[in-house]
Amino acid sequence: GQQLNQSPQSMFIQEGEDVSMNCTSSSIFNTWLWYKQDPGEGPVLLIALYKAGELTSNGRLTAQFGITRKDSFLNISASIPSDVGIYFCAGQLGAQKLVFGQGTRLTINP
Amino acid sequence: GAGVSQSPSNKVTEKGKDVELRCDPISGHTALYWYRQSLGQGLEFLIYFQGNSAPDKSGLPSDRFSAERTGGSVSTLTIQRTQQEDSAVYLCASSLRSGDNSPLHFGNGTRLTVT
């Protein structure tokens, strides 16, 4: 079945640093999504990408939909303590189910 | 409510008992999804509904798992004869419709513990 490879699995950074994580797939997708999950809560949508090559920003977050439609990255600039959590990428093709990566756990040292 | 609502938020049950998990999607959302998340893991697809029908139930782990949706709204995920490996967070999500350009919005999940 479809699988997403998300990396890194975990990151330990200092407050104020920039963060970069990415997902790759052996299959193409029409939609890439990035979610953040805080403890005890469901994933919350951060950015949605619908077009190959698309670069989208949401505040300090920037994400891109790869030209090959098989990859995406998420950047967070000038990290702050509330950025701590688990970030998931997800891909979708047509009416098929959304496929998730394994997550990147972000820890920030003040 | 404004978001996806799931109940109960926590459920502890004994091995062998049946459990029912409930999901109230966002009003007007026709597609509803169930995912399972084991501790520290990613999200594992279980089943999704478009309206009251389930076009894809390929993720249900065994015949002990079933789900239904009535009135195009509330959905119930039932696990019969629970086993310890069923312990996980069960997440429900809804979207305006299934397919591209319709992102999923998640509830806070039901944490199931089978003792």
Side-chain angles (χ1 to χ4, degrees):
Chain A
Q2 294 174 314
Q3 288 187 340
L4 294 185
N5 298 310
Q6 184 171 350
S7 65
Q9 291 185 347
S10 61
M11 301 184 72
F12 298 85
I13 64 170
Q14 299 293 322
E15 183 177 350
E17 289 185 12
D18 296 343
V19 172
S20 184
M21 59 192 78
N22 69 84
C23 274
T24 60
S25 171
S26 56
S27 306
I28 62 171
F29 291 107
N30 286 338
T31 299
W32 280 94
L33 304 170
W34 285 92
Y35 286 85
K36 177 176 183 271
Q37 186 175 30
D38 291 328
E41 299 183 7
V44 173
L45 182 67
L46 298 175
I47 290 181
L49 301 158
Y50 301 115
K51 186 177 179 180
E54 178 181 0
L55 182 70
T56 297
S57 293
N58 179 8
R60 294 178 295 106
L61 277 61
T62 301
Q64 184 158 31
F65 190 149
I67 286 290
T68 64
R69 296 166 62 197
K70 294 183 178 181
D71 63 297
S72 177
F73 71 74
L74 174 70
N75 289 341
I76 306 172
S77 63
S79 59
I80 60 177
S82 61
D83 291 335
V84 166
I86 304 177
Y87 292 80
F88 291 98
C89 63
Q92 188 168 23
L93 181 65
Q96 298 175 20
K97 58 184 178 285
L98 198 61
V99 179
F100 283 82
Q102 291 302 303
T104 295
R105 182 180 296 274
L106 179 62
T107 302
I108 297 176
N109 300 315
Chain B
V4 177
S5 178
Q6 290 188 245
S7 61
S9 55
N10 282 282
K11 176 72 177 179
V12 179
T13 189
E14 292 180 354
K15 177 181 173 181
K17 295 286 180 67
D18 298 350
V19 295
E20 282 190 357
L21 312 179
R22 177 187 169 104
C23 174
D24 283 273
I26 293 173
S27 178
H29 281 196
T30 63
L32 184 148
Y33 303 77
W34 284 98
Y35 282 81
R36 178 167 73 173
Q37 185 175 32
S38 300
L39 186 63
Q41 299 297 310
L43 281 73
E44 174 191 5
F45 170 80
L46 298 178
I47 185 172
Y48 94 88
F49 292 88
Q50 178 58 50
N52 291 334
S53 63
D56 188 351
K57 53 181 77 172
S58 62
L60 295 177
S62 73
D63 59 7
R64 296 186 296 105
F65 288 71
S66 63
E68 65 175 14
R69 190 180 186 195
T70 55
S73 181
V74 172
S75 175
T76 302
L77 177 68
T78 301
I79 309 174
Q80 296 178 310
R81 305 180 302 282
T82 52
Q83 303 294 312
Q84 287 186 330
E85 62 262 28
D86 298 335
S87 296
V89 175
Y90 290 81
L91 290 161
C92 176
S94 69
S95 63
L96 274 174
R97 59 190 176 279
S98 61
D100 300 337
N101 300 320
S102 191
L104 275 62
H105 298 269
F106 284 86
N108 286 334
T110 294
R111 180 176 297 279
L112 175 67
T113 303
V114 182
T115 61

